[in-house]
Each structure stands twice: as C-alpha cells, then as structure tokens.
Amino acid sequence: TAKLDSLLDDLMGEMQALSFEVRSESDRDSMVSTASVGNSASSPHDVANGAAREHPLRGRFDSTVSTASTSSTLSAGGAHKQRQLHCATCGVGIATGKGAVLRSSGLRANDAVPSSVQGIEHQNKIYCVRDYKRQVSTTATAAATPATRCQGCGRQCEPSSRDTVNALDAWWHRSCFNCQECHTAFPDKSFYVFENRPYCRYDYHKLNKSLCMACREPIEGPCAQVFEGRFHPGCFACYRCKEPLRDVYYSLDGYFLCENHVHQHKSNRSANKRMTVFGHV
C-alpha cells in the first residue's frame, strides 16, 4: 500500500508539471500576439531601416515606412500590417510596393525619376515626386552663394567640376549654358550676347530687332533702316517692279512702292513718302 501511494504521488506531480508547461506555452503565445499588434507603430529609426519582426509560431510582421495612419488586419496566418503613405507637403496618397518609394541620396531636382516611383524620402519625410523636386530646388537655390550660383537655374555650382563652365564673368552648369530663349546648345562654342546673356544667332537678332522684315533672316552688315523696320538692302524693294528702294520710297497699304509705280496706283494720294536710310548692324 505504501508503495502504491508513492507511485500515485509521483504520477500526480508529473501531471501538474505538464499542466503548468501547457499553460505557460499558451500564455507565451498570447503575449507574443498581443505585443506584436500593440507595438505595430515602430520607432522612426526602425521604420527607416525597414525593421521586421518574426515569430516562429505567428508568421512575419512587416514594417513599412509611414507618415500617416496605419490599418491592421488579422488573418489565419497571423497579423499583417498595411501602411498608407502621404506626401508631407500636399498630403496626396502615395502607393507602396517594391520600388515605389526612393531615398533621395542626393537626387537633384532635374534628375530623371522612374515612372514607377510614387514618393521620395528626404530628411525623414516622404514627398510626392513633384513636391520633392520643389523642395530640393528651393533648398539648393537658398544655399547657393552669389559667387557660385548658376546664372541659368540659380542653383549652386561647383567651380572645380567638369560640369561647370565660366562665361560672361559668371558660373554656369554646362547643361544650363545654352540659348536663354530656345535653350539650344552651342555645338561650335560660339554664341551671341544680349544684355549679358548668351543666345543663338537667330534669337539674338530677334531681341536686337535686327531680323530682316522681309525674309526674317538675321542682318549682319549693311541694312536698310526705315520707319517700318530693318531690311537687307536687297530685300527692301518695290512691290511691283522688285527694284531696290535706295532713296525715296512710298508706303501704301502695307506695301512699298517706287516713285514710278506709286503714281500708277489709284489711291496714291494716301501713300506716305519716306526716305531710305542705310546703316550697319
């Protein structure tokens, strides 16, 4: 009987120990699930480094960069966290996914951005692509000193860089040093200057009002300068006989006539008699 009582006592002790272990395992699982859902808002440092926590019994808990509210859904496999991003400036929603959000890493305002990119992280904030470019452009312009500011875009220049040129007593990004009207490059390195800004041949003469009023080509050299504008000497001619008007001419209804042909016109009394002046451009 004593031996039987001893065996029963040992059996009861093992059953109690087993029951305690089962309860402990259940409590531990419950604590992991509660902690994972309760601590879903990661610290900025964890967010920025894409921290992810995983439990062998409960599956993965994914962390995503966020500047807005978070929605959590529970499934049979565990808890999955979905975060929605918003631009820090305009508040527009930014889609998440692989490659959808970039780190700025020195990305400049005029750099090309892939169409798949919806947002860019800059100084611990998320911006849509448009507002990011505005942000860095404004920052770069404000940081530039007058001595090293590009005369084309106003942003900072690096004088020692091969992408920087010095012209017209100022610094320019090589990509900014072009015609300031049509933005065409200067392939032969020659350009025209108007009010201390570089221009191509055509736009310089357009601003200088030295395009021929007849052929619309630049005048460089002798020109006929009259009340109506400037002409190549050969282009300023009688509308009827095509002879160059080198002395007196008549302006009638927008046409230029020589003295012989103006008298053949019925309304010659309304013609304006003027003199041709020759100059040089």
Side-chain angles (χ1 to χ4, degrees):
T1 301
K3 187 175 181 179
L4 180 59
D5 292 338
S6 176
L7 289 174
L8 289 173
D9 290 339
D10 292 340
L11 180 59
M12 290 297 293
E14 289 178 1
M15 290 178 67
Q16 290 176 358
L18 179 60
S19 177
F20 178 80
E21 290 178 0
V22 171
R23 289 198 305 271
S24 298
E25 181 67 18
S26 177
D27 292 342
R28 183 163 58 253
D29 291 349
S30 177
M31 290 174 64
V32 170
S33 177
T34 303
S36 299
V37 174
N39 295 328
S40 60
S42 303
S43 67
H45 178 74
D46 292 337
V47 166
N49 290 282
R53 295 177 174 81
E54 184 174 355
H55 189 273
L57 300 178
R58 294 294 177 181
R60 290 190 63 180
F61 295 82
D62 297 324
S63 296
T64 309
V65 177
S66 174
T67 59
S69 60
T70 302
S71 61
S72 299
T73 57
L74 296 177
S75 63
H80 177 71
K81 183 171 297 183
Q82 295 178 339
R83 294 178 181 267
Q84 186 178 15
L85 308 182
H86 293 279
C87 174
T89 299
C90 67
V92 67
I94 297 174
T96 59
K98 186 177 181 180
V101 179
L102 289 181
R103 289 187 178 279
S104 60
S105 300
L107 193 67
R108 297 177 299 180
N110 58 348
D111 288 342
V113 176
S115 58
S116 60
V117 174
Q118 300 295 314
I120 300 175
E121 184 275 331
H122 179 62
Q123 296 181 348
N124 296 325
K125 293 183 180 180
I126 302 296
Y127 298 91
C128 65
V129 176
R130 182 188 63 180
D131 285 325
Y132 169 78
K133 291 191 172 186
R134 288 178 177 175
Q135 177 78 10
V136 297
S137 178
T138 302
T139 302
T141 302
T145 61
T148 57
R149 184 175 296 165
C150 174
Q151 295 301 300
C153 67
R155 296 177 58 217
Q156 184 76 32
C157 278
E158 293 295 338
S160 60
S161 172
R162 296 182 63 181
D163 294 329
T164 303
V165 296
N166 185 271
L168 304 177
D169 298 324
W171 291 102
W172 306 72
H173 293 116
R174 191 174 296 274
S175 59
C176 295
F177 189 71
N178 49 36
C179 175
Q180 300 299 289
E181 185 74 14
C182 67
H183 302 291
T184 301
F186 306 127
D188 58 355
K189 298 183 180 180
S190 64
F191 55 93
Y192 291 71
V193 179
F194 184 80
E195 295 183 352
N196 210 37
R197 309 281 288 182
Y199 293 93
C200 67
R201 181 172 180 260
Y202 182 86
D203 285 320
Y204 163 79
H205 284 285
K206 181 177 73 173
L207 293 170
N208 193 47
K209 295 180 173 53
S210 50
L211 290 177
C212 176
M213 297 294 292
C215 69
R216 303 304 299 172
E217 288 295 320
I219 302 172
E220 294 184 354
C223 75
Q225 187 164 333
V226 295
F227 177 81
E228 291 78 8
R230 292 173 171 174
F231 296 79
H232 290 111
C235 293
F236 188 62
C238 174
Y239 174 73
R240 298 291 298 276
C241 65
K242 309 303 179 186
E243 286 293 321
L245 299 171
R246 302 187 180 280
D247 191 5
V248 175
Y249 74 95
Y250 292 85
S251 176
L252 180 64
D253 298 332
Y255 297 100
F256 305 120
L257 300 170
C258 64
E259 194 163 8
N260 290 333
H261 285 101
V262 73
H263 293 303
Q264 298 176 11
H265 204 282
K266 294 181 180 180
S267 58
N268 57 17
R269 290 185 179 181
S270 61
N272 294 308
K273 182 179 180 181
R274 297 188 174 119
M275 291 289 297
T276 304
V277 177
F278 289 94
H280 194 278
V281 175

